């Protein structure tokens, strides 16, 4: 009897059936991702308050916000590799419990000076590594033809940053500086206990035996690592950049009040978060390369339109919402590609590298936008650069990424079922 061929990501295609336990694990992982990202983003909404209260320079304020982002992004590389080895059941409670410590420190004692904030912010970066735990956990529970939707749903946990943006300042204003941090720490602690009690790794999970350094070195030799890193730096990096810089852009470029600009930024974030599962779902049906190509084309068009600084209603708003939807869908499609092209025992390691690229991809654009505005008094040049970068990513998707996917036979087509080792439909 011919047995179904196992995919590169380690699961038998079978009929795509998904157990109730798999959906429960997805829900637990998504909640954990959101809670850890909530903690990871605590300092950003309070940046202006710390600037005024501690008399910080603009650079010091930027550094304060950037430290957790950089640490959380780079920390995904070792955390992803450790998840390959020990599994999400072990790593999710550890990451969540470890994040409680800097959250409590910042809330109770670490907000009185820049040095204390930087120390707390450094360790707060641990929360940002949760992404590299959840992707391999979810990936192992779902068959290849359902992973796009599953990983997209998990990716919607990035909306934890919106929770922070919408609640942190209000809690500080209503009560005290420590309140927002204490509430977040309590939620993290509850989740850590729940994860340790309920979370399970998928049966038959592939466990690597090679040392960490050797596995990370092997990850760098996989073409998908660098392909997905480049695409995620544009897709998720663009989302991060807009979520950080959009209030400043709208306030400076259109004269909006800080409250109005913040509300519009929240709308951008929520649409991008909602479209991430949609990008994964579409990738399951059309293939991630097609979804990525369409998403990047929309970003190019939106950036070109916005470079002319059109009236905010309706053209500017439509351009930004189109880019939000495209960046969210493109982020979901990127990790569908990762799930299809990565060996099971390396999903965490690849996720760590790709996730780091996405986080760092969002760090540079706000600095570039601010510098260009200072030099030219307009954001047009920055948006043109975004269009050029997105166009380059689109060309790369349609050439190198598509050729690699076709050569590996891993780009799904609508209505096409996986094939057995004998070449017949499974």
């Amino acid at each position: 009897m011919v047995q179904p061929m196992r995919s590169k990501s380690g699961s038998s295609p079978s009929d795509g059936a998904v157990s109730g336990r798999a959906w429960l694990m997805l829900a637990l992982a998504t909640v954990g991702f959101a809670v850890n990202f909530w903690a990871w983003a605590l300092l950003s909404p309070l940046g202006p308050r710390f600037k005024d209260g501690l008399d910080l320079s603009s650079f010091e304020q930027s550094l304060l916000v950037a430290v957790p982002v950089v640490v959380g992004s780079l920390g995904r590389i070792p955390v992803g590799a450790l998840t390959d080895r020990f599994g999400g059941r072990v790593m999710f409670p550890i990451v969540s419990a470890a994040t409680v410590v800097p959250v409590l420190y910042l809330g109770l004692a670490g907000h009185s000076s820049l040095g204390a904030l930087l120390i707390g912010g450094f360790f707060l970066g641990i929360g940002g590594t949760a992404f590299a735990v959840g992707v391999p956990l979810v990936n192992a529970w779902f068959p290849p033809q359902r992973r796009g939707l599953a990983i997209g749903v998990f990716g919607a946990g990035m909306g934890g940053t919106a929770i922070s943006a919408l609640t942190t300042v209000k809690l500080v204003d209503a009560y005290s500086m420590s309140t927002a941090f204490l509430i977040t720490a309590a939620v993290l602690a509850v989740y850590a206990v729940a994860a340790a009690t309920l979370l399970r790794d998928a049966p038959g999970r592939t466990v690597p035996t090679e040392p960490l350094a050797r596995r990370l070195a092997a990850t760098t030799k996989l073409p998908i690592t660098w392909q997905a890193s480049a695409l995620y730096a544009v897709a998720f990096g663009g989302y991060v950049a807009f979520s950080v810089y959009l209030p400043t852009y709208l306030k400076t470029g259109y004269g909006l009040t800080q409250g109005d600009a913040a509300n519009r930024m929240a709308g951008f974030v929520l649409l991008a978060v909602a479209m991430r599962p949609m990008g994964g779902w579409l990738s399951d049906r059309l293939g991630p390369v097609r979804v990525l190509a369409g998403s990047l084309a929309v970003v190019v068009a939106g950036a070109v339109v916005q470079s002319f600084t059109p009236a905010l209603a309706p053209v500017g708003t439509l351009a930004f919402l189109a880019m939000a939807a495209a960046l969210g869908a493109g982020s979901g499609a990127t990790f569908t590609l990762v799930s299809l092209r990565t060996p099971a025992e390396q999903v965490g390691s690849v996720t760590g590298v790709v996730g780091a690229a996405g986080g760092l991809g969002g760090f540079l654009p706000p600095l570039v936008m601010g510098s260009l505005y200072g030099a030219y008094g307009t954001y047009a040049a920055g948006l043109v650069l975004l269009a050029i970068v997105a166009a380059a990513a689109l060309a790369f998707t349609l050439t190198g990424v598509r050729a690699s996917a076709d050569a590996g036979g891993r780009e799904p087509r609508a209505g096409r079922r996986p094939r057995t080792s004998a070449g017949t439909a499974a």
Side-chain angles (χ1 to χ4, degrees), residues 80-87 205-210 212 215 345:
L82 289 170
T83 302
D84 280 338
R85 176 65 181 85
F86 298 105
R205 183 180 72 88
T206 304
V207 180
T209 57
E210 292 183 328
L212 177 64
R215 284 188 284 120
E345 68 276 10

Side-chain angles (χ1 to χ4, degrees), residues 3-402:
Q3 296 296 325
M5 180 180 65
R6 292 180 71 84
S7 71
K8 292 186 80 172
S9 42
S11 296
S12 176
S14 66
D15 60 357
V18 179
S19 68
R21 173 168 281 195
W23 291 113
L24 175 60
M25 296 305 109
L26 172 59
L28 287 170
T30 304
V31 170
F33 182 27
V35 169
N36 278 277
F37 255 42
W38 174 10
W40 189 40
L42 280 171
L43 291 182
S44 181
L46 296 172
R49 183 160 308 206
F50 289 133
K51 183 178 187 298
D52 295 337
L54 299 176
D55 195 25
L56 305 180
S57 66
S58 295
F59 173 78
E60 288 171 333
Q61 180 188 352
S62 299
L63 182 64
L64 175 63
V65 173
V67 165
V69 174
V70 173
V71 174
S73 298
L74 293 178
R76 293 174 187 176
I77 298 174
V79 168
L82 289 170
T83 302
D84 280 338
R85 176 65 181 85
F86 298 105
R89 182 185 182 184
V90 172
M91 293 301 297
F92 241 135
I94 288 176
V95 167
S96 302
T99 306
V100 171
V101 178
V103 172
L104 287 176
Y105 166 77
L106 286 166
L108 297 176
H111 56 264
S112 58
S113 69
L114 176 61
L117 284 168
L118 290 176
I119 292 171
F122 180 91
F123 291 100
L124 193 64
I126 296 171
T129 68
F131 179 72
V133 178
V135 170
L137 173 72
V138 172
N139 183 80
W141 271 104
F142 285 80
Q145 57 268 54
R146 304 294 292 276
R147 284 183 187 144
L149 174 62
I151 295 177
V153 169
F154 168 75
M158 67 186 188
T161 57
I163 298 175
S164 180
L166 294 172
T167 63
T168 303
V169 174
K170 292 178 181 178
L171 287 170
V172 170
D173 287 341
Y175 301 101
S176 67
M177 178 62 72
S178 62
T179 302
F181 293 90
L182 292 175
I183 290 175
T184 307
V187 175
L188 274 168
V190 170
Y191 177 76
V193 173
T197 304
L198 301 174
L199 209 58
R200 296 291 184 271
D201 291 310
R205 183 180 72 88
T206 304
V207 180
T209 57
E210 292 183 328
L212 177 64
R214 187 177 300 174
R215 284 188 284 120
L216 288 174
T219 298
T220 64
K221 298 177 182 179
L222 294 173
I224 184 60
T225 301
W226 305 113
Q227 292 172 358
S229 292
L231 296 172
Y232 204 58
V234 176
F236 185 71
Y239 159 80
V240 171
F242 274 121
S243 66
V244 170
Y245 200 72
L246 192 55
T248 299
Y249 175 93
L250 293 173
K251 185 178 179 182
T252 305
Y254 286 96
L256 300 185
T257 64
Q258 185 172 358
D260 192 8
N263 289 335
R264 290 173 186 267
M265 181 273 285
F268 181 99
V269 168
L270 291 174
L271 179 57
V273 168
M275 284 301 297
R276 184 156 180 159
M278 181 62 68
W281 180 80
L282 288 171
S283 296
D284 285 338
R285 283 149 181 78
L286 304 176
V289 169
R290 292 179 180 180
V291 177
L292 276 163
S295 299
L296 290 167
V298 171
V299 174
V300 172
V304 169
V305 169
Q306 193 56 38
S307 69
F308 293 97
T309 318
L312 197 55
V315 178
T317 298
L318 290 174
F320 276 119
L321 291 179
M323 286 191 286
L327 292 169
S331 297
T334 300
F335 269 94
T336 305
L337 191 67
V338 169
S339 72
L340 293 173
R341 295 288 299 149
T342 307
E345 68 276 10
Q346 292 178 283
V347 170
S349 299
V350 172
T351 295
V353 175
V354 176
L360 295 176
F363 176 68
L364 184 60
L367 300 179
V368 173
M369 291 287 281
S371 298
L372 289 173
Y373 184 83
Y376 301 106
T378 176
Y379 289 112
L383 287 157
V384 169
L385 276 178
L386 171 61
I388 292 172
V389 171
L394 173 59
F396 178 56
T397 299
L398 294 174
T399 55
V401 177
R402 170 170 285 174

